[in-house]
Amino acid sequence: KNEVEQSPQNLTAQEGEFITINCSYSVGISALHWLQQHPGGGIVSLFMLSSGKKKHGRLIATINIQEKHSSLHITASHPRDSAVYICAVREIQGAQKLVFGQGTRLTINP
Amino acid sequence: DAMVIQNPRYQVTQFGKPVTLSCSQTLNHNVMYWYQQKSSQAPKLLFHYYDKDFNNEADTPDNFQSRRPNTSFCFLDIRSPGLGDAAMYLCATSQDYFQETQYFGPGTRLLVL
């Protein structure tokens, strides 16, 4: 069983739809990261969370430490949001590295 | 302004011919990481440095080496690339290990012929 699991693996939606991507993890963590990777490879860090909720523009990330679960929401989705979204956690044990989920490939159609 | 720079962006090498990938950072961060990412897979950590303190993952092949001559630069050397080493190589930095955002470079895509 992967330590970090994301769902769905693939998501296709129409422009304007509200998007939710989920991440569940099985270990104690000190922080959770949401990353965005566009075709061509570059990774951008969207959020780092250790509790509660953060918002940047149309992006919202929440985390429930007790349930070991995080969600990334995109409001008013746009084709430029099409990318792979990756959840990664920094474990309390072995905190030097991130453990990555497999990613969610999001496609927003105009 | 670019904060984590990787050169080259695309590298083609021949089977068995050594290749070096380069990463530089303008953030003055203590930690630098090298990841390997194959198609449709999550990034896999190869090495990380805290300053000059080197750490490699247990499953990183001996074919991969790394150097960090100073705070700003870090190199990934692949001594004898095989076809299975074709991948995107990502460099990242963070100020520290704990609860710190990692800043990623654009990656170098390596093709082995």
Side-chain angles (χ1 to χ4, degrees):
Chain A
K1 184 182 188 300
N2 291 335
E3 291 177 339
V4 182
E5 293 199 348
Q6 290 185 232
S7 63
Q9 291 187 354
N10 293 281
L11 178 58
T12 299
Q14 291 299 121
E15 183 173 356
E17 287 190 38
F18 181 83
I19 303 299
T20 296
I21 300 171
N22 295 301
C23 175
S24 297
Y25 53 92
S26 58
V27 296
I29 68 168
S30 60
L32 181 144
H33 298 250
W34 281 103
L35 310 168
Q36 180 193 56
Q37 186 171 33
H38 279 281
I43 291 179
V44 175
S45 180
L46 299 175
F47 295 102
M48 184 182 66
L49 294 163
S50 55
S51 65
K53 175 180 175 178
K54 287 189 176 179
K55 183 176 188 292
H56 290 157
R58 295 181 295 107
L59 301 178
I60 304 166
T62 63
I63 188 168
N64 185 318
I65 296 294
Q66 286 72 32
E67 294 185 3
K68 292 187 167 60
H69 180 270
S70 176
S71 293
L72 176 68
H73 306 285
I74 305 175
T75 62
S77 59
H78 190 276
R80 64 174 176 268
D81 298 327
S82 299
V84 175
Y85 291 84
I86 303 171
C87 172
V89 302
R90 189 177 295 283
E91 298 181 14
I92 292 173
Q93 301 290 334
Q96 292 89 345
K97 67 176 185 180
L98 293 177
V99 179
F100 290 83
Q102 287 298 99
T104 295
R105 184 174 298 276
L106 174 66
T107 303
I108 304 295
N109 293 319
Chain B
D1 291 334
M3 296 182 289
V4 183
I5 302 159
Q6 290 187 244
N7 286 304
R9 294 293 309 278
Y10 299 91
Q11 176 74 56
V12 181
T13 191
Q14 292 177 334
F15 184 94
K17 184 174 180 182
V19 67
T20 294
L21 309 183
S22 137
C23 177
S24 64
Q25 54 135 339
T26 60
L27 297 162
N28 203 35
H29 280 172
N30 290 313
V31 188
M32 295 187 78
Y33 307 81
W34 277 107
Y35 293 91
Q36 179 194 63
Q37 186 180 28
K38 296 188 177 180
S39 181
S40 300
Q41 295 183 18
K44 177 182 178 299
L45 183 64
L46 297 173
F47 311 100
H48 53 98
Y49 281 90
Y50 190 101
D51 196 12
K52 292 205 170 186
D53 183 17
F54 172 74
N55 300 273
N56 71 307
E57 291 297 287
D59 56 354
T60 298
D62 292 339
N63 197 26
F64 290 81
Q65 305 284 322
S66 185
R67 297 169 282 137
R68 188 178 184 188
N70 53 52
T71 299
S72 301
F73 285 87
C74 195
F75 300 98
L76 174 62
D77 301 308
I78 308 176
R79 290 192 295 189
S80 181
L83 298 178
D85 297 326
M88 174 71 80
Y89 290 87
L90 294 161
C91 175
T93 75
S94 64
Q95 180 58 34
D96 207 323
Y97 286 124
F98 299 99
Q99 296 198 5
E100 290 287 343
T101 298
Q102 285 194 15
Y103 294 84
F104 285 82
T108 294
R109 187 168 294 282
L110 178 68
L111 180 63
V112 181
L113 301 177

